[in-house]
Amino acid sequence: MHEKMHDKIYDKAYDRTHDKTYDKKCREKRFHKKPIRKLAAGLLLTAAASCLIAGCGSAEGDGGSEEQRYAWPLATASPEDTVTQLFAEKFADEVLELSGGKMKIQVYPNSTLGGDRDLLETCADGDIPFIVQNTAPQVAFMPDLAVFDLPCVFDSLDDCRETIDDPEFYSLISDVYTKGGYHLLGMADQGFRVMSTNKEITETADFKGQKIRTMENSYHLAFWKCLGANPTPMSFSEVYIGLQQHTIDAQENPYEVIVSNRLYEQQDYIVETNHLPHLISLIVNDTFFAELSEEEQEIMMEAAETATAYAREQSDERIADRKKTIEDSGTQIITLSDEVREEIRQSAREVYTSIEANISKEIFEAYMGE
């Protein structure tokens, strides 16, 4: 399969460059694919070429395992200076070190090989074996992952991580990915998502009428509607200008995104709503993973464990740094009281009911705990 994967990457580079009608059927139970957006031919051809350059020959290496002939692609849709990239690079570095240089992974960031939806589809098809991305776009493919859209479940990242790492819950979520055609290797985060706005918000009534940009996710939209806000889906590339021109009043993202895109420059306040954890999953095509040797699988699982811990540490450090950048700029950070957070939870009961009705009961109860 691994050699076929390289051929498919090369073929797709040609197809996407020369065939404007390029499309192929999705797997069973998947949404019909829109034609995958065109990628620059040079980028994908470079990806294919690097697979060949990274390793050549098929001689037997030490220990009797076949020497890797090319680097496996790992793709993200995130910029280089993000926890997502750090997570991906740490995993690739650990795999290389633990395998004694025999297993090579090449990281392609910043949508080089496609956007979030493209990457999910090509990973499921086996064209790109590894991807690292936020769980939000995965809900359309694996509805049970909507459990991560339950608002204001956790008061701290430690509580959230403890739940994610709980063997029972992790096993249930791993099964969801397996049924989707993936194998879950690890889950890190970029902290909580928070709100930025030009209105001082200290009470639930203050959310009323706020035109806030959200991702195009029905549960996210429903949450803000429950608070009386006016959620507006918008392409992320338009958010800064939207805030500048006042076509939107507010937006919500983790601190890292707010700072890296300088969104705080157009806002007077950051409100620590902490309504959702911004979770990042490291996944691999399930068939690809199953065809690896037991030793190679163990190397990848150990590398993923190390990379997950590293990404979480980096996330915590970077959040503190990002908050200082925001405060130094003059933008004020507002921490909501426990009473207001409880009022937000109660206001969002409709979202809880909707998600509970559409996901596995076991997953819902394991995530919610007591």
Side-chain angles (χ1 to χ4, degrees), residues 73-112:
L74 186 162
T76 84
S78 299
E80 288 86 344
D81 186 27
T82 61
V83 171
T84 299
Q85 179 71 3
L86 296 175
F87 191 13
E89 289 180 345
K90 183 65 172 177
F91 172 67
D93 291 344
E94 288 295 314
V95 167
L96 185 67
E97 182 176 347
L98 291 171
S99 67
K102 294 179 182 178
M103 298 167 65
K104 306 175 183 72
I105 295 174
Q106 177 67 45
V107 179
Y108 294 91
N110 208 24
S111 298
T112 302

Side-chain angles (χ1 to χ4, degrees), residues 27 30 87 119-120 123-125 129 131-148 164 169-188 278-287 289 360 363:
R27 287 180 159 211
R30 294 187 182 279
F87 191 13
L119 295 182
L120 277 169
C123 183
D125 291 338
I131 60 174
V132 178
Q133 68 177 189
N134 175 233
T135 57
Q138 299 172 353
V139 175
F141 294 81
M142 294 166 281
D144 280 331
L145 296 184
V147 68
F148 299 126
I164 298 298
F169 179 76
Y170 194 86
S171 176
L172 290 170
I173 289 299
S174 293
D175 288 343
V176 172
Y177 279 99
T178 300
K179 290 175 184 176
Y182 313 97
H183 181 86
L184 177 63
L185 287 170
M187 190 168 284
H278 190 88
L279 298 171
I280 312 166
S281 61
L282 165 59
I283 58 179
V284 57
N285 175 276
D286 190 53
T287 302
F289 186 77
S360 158
I363 291 175

Side-chain angles (χ1 to χ4, degrees), residues 1-4 55-70 72 99 101-104 291-293 295-296 299:
M1 173 185 172
H2 303 163
E3 293 183 5
K4 290 181 180 178
C56 57
S58 56
E60 297 294 313
D62 295 337
S65 60
E66 185 174 323
E67 186 175 342
Q68 188 177 328
R69 295 176 58 196
Y70 50 83
W72 296 315
S99 67
K102 294 179 182 178
M103 298 167 65
K104 306 175 183 72
E291 290 182 351
L292 296 173
S293 69
E295 179 186 2
E296 289 171 327
I299 285 173

Side-chain angles (χ1 to χ4, degrees), residues 151-152 195 201 203-210 212 220-231 273 275 336 340-349 351:
C152 299
M195 176 189 191
I201 292 179
E203 301 178 356
T204 51
D206 296 332
F207 290 105
K208 187 174 182 180
Q210 283 281 286
I212 181 169
H220 293 200
L221 293 167
F223 167 70
W224 291 104
K225 287 179 181 177
C226 286
L227 296 184
N230 180 18
T273 47
H275 49 288
L336 298 175
V340 170
R341 284 187 54 77
E342 183 56 33
E343 288 176 9
I344 292 174
R345 286 193 186 96
Q346 293 304 319
S347 298
R349 292 307 306 172
V351 182

Side-chain angles (χ1 to χ4, degrees), residues 230-241:
N230 180 18
T232 305
M234 176 186 289
S235 170
F236 183 73
S237 62
E238 300 173 4
V239 173
Y240 188 93
I241 295 176

Side-chain angles (χ1 to χ4, degrees), residues 82-91 132 157 161 186-191 256 280 282 303-319:
T82 61
V83 171
T84 299
Q85 179 71 3
L86 296 175
F87 191 13
E89 289 180 345
K90 183 65 172 177
F91 172 67
V132 178
L157 281 174
R161 292 166 181 171
M187 190 168 284
D189 61 72
Q190 286 186 357
E256 181 155 293
I280 312 166
L282 165 59
E305 184 177 354
T306 301
T308 298
Y310 174 76
R312 289 176 177 177
E313 291 171 3
Q314 291 299 306
S315 176
D316 292 341
E317 291 179 10
R318 290 163 73 94
I319 287 172

